[in-house]
């Protein structure tokens, strides 16, 4: 009997080694934000976000996004959101800031989950987990493109927006950021040119599924300097406008990101943090 037991124990140990590890269920109520890697949620105990008043030059977009997320948090009807346009103009920053501002007003009412690009195929598994929780969630798909390497993500997102076999919980809304309204592969040869219109139509068809679509455009000189002052004035930093504009020219654009980079340079020169 002892020998037989040893054999059974060896078989059990071997089977345990062969079996995939059990992935623990994520406690989605335990943090203000998470990232979803395709298997589980990774907690973010502090959501890094700029204060809403720091975001300048996007007042209309800021009001629309904040209002929509506040609706979601209170249990009212809310839209899926597509934020598209110029790079560096604060699209994903606005989502984070609006969620953080809503959390400060209504703690625990809404949480942000950023979905990794490679995790598109696992969205049904994420929805099944969220269906068993209370509260509201914003799923963030950051910097979405429509190239061949992101086709799986686009298809998964379209299914999510249309309502696939896995029902989306009522208080889960989608936020997507993208650098252009309809991103298609422009580097095509003659053999692929005939398919470009279809690809563009597919991209537009996806964009049309969002109830709230907001454009972000390159800022003019005045707006760029206004954004820059939003960063520098609280720190008491002096701005040389000529140098600030030269900084933007050297980077090829005037944007909120460029303004923050220049403010960081000024802060570093005088030995303060930003």
């Amino acid at each position: 009997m002892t020998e037989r037991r040893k054999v059974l124990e060896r078989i059990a140990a071997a089977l345990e080694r062969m079996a995939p590890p059990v992935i623990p269920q994520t406690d989605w109520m335990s943090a203000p934000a998470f990232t979803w890697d395709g298997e589980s949620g990774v907690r973010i105990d502090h959501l890094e976000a700029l204060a809403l008043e720091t975001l300048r030059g996007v007042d209309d977009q800021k009001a629309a996004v904040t209002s929509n997320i506040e609706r979601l948090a209170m249990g009212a009807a809310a839209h899926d959101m597509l934020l598209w346009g110029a790079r560096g103009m604060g699209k994903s920053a606005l989502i984070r800031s609006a969620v953080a501002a809503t959390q400060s007003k209504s703690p625990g009412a809404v949480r942000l989950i950023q979905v990794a690009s490679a995790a598109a195929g696992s969205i049904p598994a994420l929805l099944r987990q969220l269906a068993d929780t209370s509260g509201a969630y914003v799923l963030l798909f950051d910097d979405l493109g429509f190239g061949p390497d992101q086709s799986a993500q686009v298809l998964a997102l379209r299914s999510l927006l249309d309502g696939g076999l896995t029902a989306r919980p009522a208080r889960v809304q989608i936020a997507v950021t993208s650098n252009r309204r309809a991103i298609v592969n422009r580097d095509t040869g003659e053999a692929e040119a005939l398919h470009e219109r279809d690809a563009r139509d597919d991209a537009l068809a996806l964009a049309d599924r969002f109830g709230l679509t907001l454009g972000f455009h390159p800022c003019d000189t005045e707006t760029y300097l206004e954004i820059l002052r939003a960063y520098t004035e609280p720190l008491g930093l002096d701005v040389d406008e000529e140098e600030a504009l030269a900084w933007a020219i050297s980077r090829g654009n005037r944007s909120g990101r460029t303004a923050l980079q220049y403010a960081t340079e000024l802060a570093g020169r005088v030995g303060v943090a930003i």
Side-chain angles (χ1 to χ4, degrees), residues 93-167:
L94 175 53
I95 296 294
R96 292 193 299 271
S97 295
V99 170
T102 304
Q103 289 174 344
S104 67
K105 289 182 180 179
S106 305
V110 63
R111 291 170 175 80
L112 180 66
I113 303 174
Q114 182 161 339
V115 180
S117 297
S122 65
I123 292 173
L126 171 60
L127 295 182
R128 284 193 293 271
Q129 291 196 26
L130 296 181
D132 296 329
T133 70
S134 60
Y137 300 90
V138 176
L139 304 189
L140 174 59
F141 297 79
D142 198 20
D143 198 21
L144 181 71
F146 290 89
D149 58 334
Q150 291 183 296
S151 59
Q153 188 177 10
V154 171
L155 290 173
L157 184 56
R158 179 176 296 181
S159 176
L160 180 59
L161 291 165
D162 285 343
L165 294 177
T166 302

Side-chain angles (χ1 to χ4, degrees), residues 27-34 42-46 103 110-112:
D27 181 0
W28 295 105
M29 306 296 290
S30 65
F34 298 82
V42 179
R43 287 170 49 114
I44 299 174
D45 291 321
H46 176 69
Q103 289 174 344
V110 63
R111 291 170 175 80
L112 180 66

Side-chain angles (χ1 to χ4, degrees), residues 144-212:
L144 181 71
F146 290 89
D149 58 334
Q150 291 183 296
S151 59
Q153 188 177 10
V154 171
L155 290 173
L157 184 56
R158 179 176 296 181
S159 176
L160 180 59
L161 291 165
D162 285 343
L165 294 177
T166 302
R168 193 201 320 180
R171 297 185 65 191
V172 173
Q173 298 302 134
I174 311 304
V176 170
T177 70
S178 182
N179 278 345
R180 283 185 282 163
R181 175 69 164 80
I183 297 181
V184 295
N185 183 16
R186 301 291 182 176
D187 299 324
T188 56
E190 291 184 9
E192 298 178 350
L194 293 176
H195 302 290
E196 185 173 339
R197 180 175 178 179
D198 289 340
R200 186 182 295 110
D201 288 345
D202 284 345
L204 290 169
L206 177 61
D208 288 342
R209 287 164 166 79
F210 293 88
L212 182 59

